[in-house]
């Protein structure tokens, strides 16, 4: 059982690198952002709850996010492991994730934090807006808010994993394959 967290600010490449890891390692990819977009598209209750937060670049409340994540983990109990992408984003979420996994006799194996400077993030998100169709990529003020929320609420989660010796910081600037190899090295593959 290998449970990885891909950590980093919006636009740091978590989604891109997760996909590459999934095809190499055969793990189940869980992106809470993707799950929310699916729920919003299908106008479900969690989708309706999440919409106004996502449009402003705010975090969706922990309860809604954690319930959705739990459901996805439970649907994939026989998986060889998970890649968590965009979760946890608060210390409370990190603690709950440990509890959920521990109850199943599992744990987080490693946390990879993709380090990318703010100006590079702005550049990438602006470019992504042209193809993603994501409303939260299209507005500069929403992009700024997501970067601010990352620093305020999500970056402190790094210290949580540093304490347990699970955190590895990776330079997230460069060619996609180059960054992928840095990640593989960090997880001993
Ligand atoms: P992402 O695709 O990971 O950039 O997520 C898009 C948006 O979904 C974020 O800006 C948040 O509004 C929401 N979201 C995704 N994951 C979480 C999470 N773990 N906690 C709270 N909100 C989240």
């Amino acid at each position: 059982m290998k449970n990885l967290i891909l950590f980093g600010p919006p636009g740091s490449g978590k989604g891109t690198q997760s996909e590459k890891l999934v095809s190499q390692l055969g793990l189940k990819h869980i992106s809470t952002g993707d799950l929310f977009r699916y729920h919003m598209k299908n106008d479900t209750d969690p989708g309706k709850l999440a919409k106004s937060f996502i449009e402003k670049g705010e975090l969706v409340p922990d309860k809604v996010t954690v319930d959705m994540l739990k459901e996805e983990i439970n649907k994939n109990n026989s998986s060889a492991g998970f890649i968590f992408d965009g979760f946890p984003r608060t210390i409370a979420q990190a603690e709950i994730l440990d509890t959920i996994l521990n109850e199943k006799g599992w744990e987080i194996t490693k946390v990879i934090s993709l380090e990318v400077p703010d100006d590079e993030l702005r550049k990438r998100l602006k470019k992504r807006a042209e193809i993603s169709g994501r409303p939260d990529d299209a507005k500069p003020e929403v992009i700024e808010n997501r970067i601010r929320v990352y620093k305020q609420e999500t970056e402190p989660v790094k210290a949580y994993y540093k304490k347990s010796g699970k955190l590895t910081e990776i330079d997230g600037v460069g060619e996609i394959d180059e960054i992928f190899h840095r990640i593989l090295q960090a997880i001993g593959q």
Side-chain angles (χ1 to χ4, degrees):
M1 190 82 189
K2 204 187 254 308
N3 295 308
L4 307 173
I5 295 175
L6 268 196
F7 194 87
S12 58
K14 301 187 295 292
T16 307
Q17 296 296 339
S18 293
E19 274 173 31
K20 291 180 75 70
L21 281 168
V22 163
S23 57
Q24 176 118 353
L25 305 175
L27 304 174
K28 166 74 186 164
H29 180 205
I30 299 189
S31 154
T32 41
D34 285 351
L35 286 173
F36 279 131
R37 283 183 283 279
Y38 170 84
H39 279 285
M40 287 192 295
K41 206 170 123 199
N42 290 283
D43 213 18
T44 65
D45 287 340
K48 283 181 208 154
L49 271 162
K51 194 169 188 282
S52 63
F53 295 95
I54 292 177
E55 281 174 352
K56 284 185 281 206
E58 297 289 337
L59 294 187
V60 179
D62 283 346
K63 167 96 175 74
V64 185
T65 309
V66 168
D67 285 351
M68 182 181 75
L69 176 93
K70 245 191 212 164
E71 193 189 324
E72 195 64 15
I73 293 177
N74 287 334
K75 270 199 269 178
N76 292 279
N77 270 324
S78 54
S79 166
F82 296 92
I83 295 179
F84 298 101
D85 158 7
F87 189 98
R89 267 173 150 104
T90 62
I91 304 252
Q93 289 182 8
E95 288 170 346
I96 295 169
L97 180 60
D98 277 345
T99 306
I100 296 171
L101 296 181
N102 292 347
E103 276 170 2
K104 293 175 183 285
W106 304 339
E107 62 173 2
I108 291 297
T109 317
K110 231 171 188 356
V111 180
I112 302 294
S113 175
L114 294 169
E115 305 293 321
V116 178
D118 292 355
D119 280 349
E120 173 72 14
L121 297 175
R122 291 186 184 101
K123 226 167 40 190
R124 289 186 190 179
L125 289 169
K126 207 169 150 212
K127 206 164 140 201
R128 189 170 80 183
E130 292 163 17
I131 46 168
S132 73
R134 279 176 56 167
D136 60 343
D137 282 344
K139 293 188 188 139
E141 67 272 20
V142 175
I143 290 181
E144 284 311 311
N145 199 34
R146 285 158 70 204
I147 295 174
R148 193 182 57 76
V149 167
Y150 173 77
K151 286 188 199 300
Q152 231 167 48
E153 302 189 48
T154 305
E155 206 165 29
V157 177
K158 274 194 338 191
Y160 179 87
Y161 290 113
K162 213 174 213 165
K163 248 194 306 191
S164 55
K166 292 182 174 169
L167 182 82
T168 305
E169 292 174 313
I170 298 265
D171 179 4
V173 181
E175 294 296 320
I176 289 172
D177 281 338
E178 200 183 336
I179 299 163
F180 183 56
H181 280 105
R182 290 178 200 146
I183 296 174
L184 288 181
Q185 227 170 13
I187 60 173
Q189 292 286 318

Coordinates of all heavy atoms in Angstrom, one line a residue, residues 32-33 36-37 54 58-60 65 86-87 89 93 134 136 146, ligand 1:
T32 N -9.5 16.3 -5.1 CA -10.8 16.9 -4.6 C -11.3 18.0 -5.5 O -12.5 18.1 -5.6 CB -10.6 17.4 -3.1 OG1 -9.3 18.0 -3.0 CG2 -10.6 16.2 -2.1
G33 N -10.4 18.7 -6.2 CA -10.8 19.7 -7.1 C -11.6 19.1 -8.3 O -12.7 19.5 -8.6
F36 N -15.0 18.0 -7.0 CA -16.0 19.1 -6.9 C -16.5 19.5 -8.3 O -17.7 19.8 -8.4 CB -15.3 20.3 -6.2 CG -15.3 20.2 -4.7 CD1 -14.1 20.4 -4.0 CD2 -16.4 19.9 -4.0 CE1 -14.1 20.4 -2.6 CE2 -16.4 19.8 -2.6 CZ -15.2 20.0 -1.9
R37 N -15.6 19.5 -9.3 CA -16.0 19.9 -10.6 C -17.1 18.9 -11.2 O -18.0 19.3 -11.8 CB -14.8 20.1 -11.6 CG -14.1 21.4 -11.3 CD -13.0 21.6 -12.3 NE -11.8 20.8 -12.0 CZ -10.9 21.2 -11.0 NH1 -11.0 22.3 -10.4 NH2 -9.8 20.4 -10.8
I54 N -15.8 27.9 -4.5 CA -14.8 27.7 -5.6 C -14.7 28.9 -6.5 O -13.7 29.3 -6.9 CB -15.2 26.4 -6.3 CG1 -15.0 25.2 -5.4 CG2 -14.4 26.2 -7.6 CD1 -15.3 23.8 -6.0
E58 N -12.1 30.5 -2.6 CA -12.0 30.1 -1.2 C -12.0 28.6 -1.0 O -12.4 27.9 -1.9 CB -13.2 30.7 -0.4 CG -13.3 32.2 -0.5 CD -12.3 32.9 0.4 OE1 -11.8 32.2 1.3 OE2 -12.0 34.1 0.1
L59 N -11.6 28.1 0.2 CA -11.7 26.7 0.4 C -13.1 26.3 0.7 O -13.8 27.1 1.4 CB -10.8 26.3 1.6 CG -9.3 26.4 1.4 CD1 -8.6 25.9 2.6 CD2 -8.8 25.8 0.2
V60 N -13.5 25.2 0.3 CA -14.8 24.6 0.6 C -14.7 24.1 2.1 O -13.7 23.6 2.5 CB -15.2 23.4 -0.4 CG1 -16.5 22.8 0.0 CG2 -15.2 23.9 -1.8
T65 N -15.9 18.7 2.2 CA -14.8 18.1 1.5 C -14.4 16.7 2.0 O -14.2 15.8 1.2 CB -13.6 19.1 1.7 OG1 -14.0 20.4 1.3 CG2 -12.4 18.7 0.8
G86 N -4.5 17.8 -4.1 CA -5.3 18.9 -3.6 C -6.0 18.7 -2.3 O -6.9 19.4 -1.9
F87 N -5.6 17.6 -1.6 CA -6.1 17.3 -0.3 C -4.9 16.6 0.5 O -4.3 15.8 -0.1 CB -7.3 16.3 -0.4 CG -7.9 16.0 1.0 CD1 -9.1 16.7 1.3 CD2 -7.4 15.2 1.9 CE1 -9.7 16.5 2.5 CE2 -7.9 15.0 3.1 CZ -9.1 15.6 3.5
R89 N -5.8 20.4 2.5 CA -5.5 21.8 2.3 C -5.6 22.6 3.6 O -5.4 23.8 3.6 CB -6.5 22.4 1.3 CG -6.0 22.4 -0.1 CD -7.2 22.9 -1.0 NE -6.8 23.6 -2.2 CZ -6.9 23.0 -3.4 NH1 -7.2 21.8 -3.6 NH2 -6.6 23.8 -4.4
Q93 N -7.9 18.9 7.9 CA -8.0 17.9 6.9 C -6.9 16.8 7.0 O -7.1 15.6 6.8 CB -8.0 18.5 5.5 CG -9.3 19.3 5.2 CD -9.3 19.8 3.8 OE1 -8.4 19.5 3.0 NE2 -10.2 20.7 3.4
R134 N -11.9 26.7 -16.8 CA -12.3 26.8 -15.4 C -12.5 28.3 -15.0 O -11.6 29.1 -15.2 CB -11.1 26.2 -14.5 CG -11.1 24.7 -14.4 CD -9.9 24.2 -13.6 NE -9.8 24.8 -12.3 CZ -8.9 24.3 -11.4 NH1 -8.2 23.2 -11.7 NH2 -8.8 24.9 -10.2
D136 N -12.5 29.6 -12.2 CA -11.5 30.1 -11.1 C -10.1 30.3 -11.7 O -9.2 30.8 -11.0 CB -11.5 29.1 -9.9 CG -11.1 27.7 -10.2 OD1 -11.1 27.3 -11.4 OD2 -10.8 27.0 -9.3
R146 N -6.6 32.6 -4.5 CA -6.2 31.2 -4.3 C -4.8 31.1 -3.9 O -4.4 30.2 -3.0 CB -6.4 30.4 -5.6 CG -7.9 30.1 -5.9 CD -8.2 29.8 -7.3 NE -7.7 28.6 -7.8 CZ -7.4 28.3 -9.1 NH1 -7.6 29.2 -10.0 NH2 -6.9 27.1 -9.4
Ligands
LIG1 P1 -8.0 22.4 -7.4 O1 -8.6 21.8 -8.7 O2 -7.3 21.5 -6.5 O3 -7.3 23.7 -7.7 O4 -9.3 22.9 -6.6 C1 -10.2 23.8 -7.1 C2 -11.0 24.4 -5.9 O5 -11.8 23.4 -5.3 C3 -10.2 25.1 -4.8 O6 -9.8 26.4 -5.1 C4 -11.1 25.0 -3.6 O7 -12.1 26.0 -3.7 C5 -11.8 23.6 -3.9 N1 -11.1 22.6 -3.2 C6 -10.4 21.6 -3.8 N2 -9.8 20.8 -2.8 C7 -10.2 21.3 -1.6 C8 -9.9 20.9 -0.3 N3 -9.1 19.9 0.0 N4 -10.4 21.7 0.7 C9 -11.2 22.7 0.4 N5 -11.5 23.2 -0.8 C10 -11.0 22.4 -1.9

